[in-house]
Amino acid sequence: MTYSKQVEDMACVAKEVNHGPAPIPEEGKWVAAKEVKDISGLTHGIGWCAPQQGACKLTLNVKEGIIQEALLETVGCSGMTHSAAMAAEILSGKTILEALNTDLVCDAINTAMRELFLQIVYGRTQTAFSDDGLPIGAGMDDLGKGLRSQTGTTYSTLSKGPRYLELAEGYVTKLALDKEDRIIGYEVVQLGKAMEAIKNGVDANEAIKKNTSTKGRFAEAAKYIDPRKE
């Protein structure tokens, strides 16, 4: 380490006070974090690219500074799905400091990593006050049955009104309209559960039928439309 001549010539004054870092909450404990290995927690964060064409929700489960689990969910950009595939291979096993300074292929994913880093190192995780945090695999619990992201896709125009295309319940196949053409219900297919049934040997048409349901006052509709075609 090199000192300037000005500093070298200074008189030495004792440093009296050293309180250390303020403790942060981590998995039910108060931790005075000094090194990367002192950091643990599970949390979520959102990232976006410069043109804001797409977004990424990133979930990380960190134990003793190392990413043990990563869930990447993307929307709005086809290229980002492939970036997420590569980032999933990159993230696990890295320290959060390494991950912060690693090219995660897509700006939205890099931004999500930055936002998560800030949450985690400041003790603002989802598991800050949960004893021992959450087990590895907790990220998959966010996906629910069928292991599909919670997706909402809707569209509208001034002249033709709104269209529900996909909601948390599933892929919307029909919209139910009343006599004044207002939406009063819809029919959905739970694609995740339907695919599970097909993989278990159920006929595809039967699997779709068994996992189709209606919401709202669907049966009372004056007419039904396909939101993608009509």
Side-chain angles (χ1 to χ4, degrees):
M1 189 177 300
T2 303
Y3 291 90
S4 70
K5 184 68 169 61
Q6 184 180 10
V7 172
E8 281 187 342
D9 291 343
M10 286 180 176
C12 188
V13 178
K15 182 181 177 183
E16 188 66 24
V17 178
N18 183 11
H19 293 304
I24 59 174
E26 291 183 28
E27 300 189 338
K29 303 178 182 68
W30 288 97
V31 178
K34 296 182 180 180
E35 301 179 34
V36 172
K37 66 180 179 61
D38 297 329
I39 302 295
S40 295
L42 179 143
T43 198
H44 320 272
I46 302 296
W48 54 94
C49 58
Q52 300 189 27
Q53 181 179 346
C56 170
K57 176 192 171 188
L58 176 61
T59 303
L60 296 180
N61 200 348
V62 178
K63 302 291 185 183
E64 296 180 351
I66 297 174
I67 297 170
Q68 301 290 338
E69 176 184 21
L71 170 65
L72 295 104
E73 301 172 86
T74 65
V75 64
C77 174
S78 58
M80 197 194 302
T81 64
H82 295 76
S83 298
M86 290 182 273
E89 297 186 25
I90 293 169
L91 282 166
S92 296
K94 287 190 176 293
T95 69
I96 55 171
L97 185 58
E98 285 181 294
L100 181 67
N101 291 287
T102 298
D103 181 8
L104 299 176
V105 189
C106 165
D107 279 349
I109 303 173
N110 287 319
T111 303
M113 183 63 226
R114 179 195 71 196
E115 297 301 305
L116 259 70
F117 181 88
L118 294 173
Q119 289 183 40
I120 294 167
V121 299
Y122 283 128
R124 270 66 170 180
T125 66
Q126 304 295 310
T127 54
F129 300 102
S130 302
D131 287 342
D132 299 321
L134 289 172
I136 312 307
M140 294 187 76
D141 292 341
D142 281 358
L143 298 176
K145 293 181 179 179
L147 298 181
R148 279 176 59 85
S149 296
Q150 299 297 310
T151 302
T153 306
T154 60
Y155 177 75
S156 69
T157 59
L158 178 60
S159 61
K160 299 297 182 178
R163 300 291 189 276
Y164 301 169
L165 303 176
E166 188 160 356
L167 300 175
E169 298 94 338
Y171 181 95
V172 179
T173 54
K174 291 180 183 177
L175 290 182
L177 308 181
D178 65 10
K179 292 179 180 179
E180 297 179 1
D181 291 332
R182 296 175 299 189
I183 299 172
I184 59 171
Y186 48 90
E187 179 185 77
V188 292
V189 178
Q190 291 179 283
L191 291 178
K193 293 179 71 174
M195 288 303 300
E196 282 186 349
I198 292 169
K199 286 189 288 184
N200 289 329
V202 178
D203 175 74
N205 289 326
E206 184 64 23
I208 295 292
K209 185 176 179 181
K210 284 184 175 180
N211 290 286
T212 296
S213 60
T214 61
K215 308 297 177 183
R217 294 182 289 121
F218 187 83
E220 301 174 21
K223 67 178 178 180
Y224 303 96
I225 65 168
D226 181 336
R228 290 171 175 78
K229 295 181 177 179
E230 298 175 73

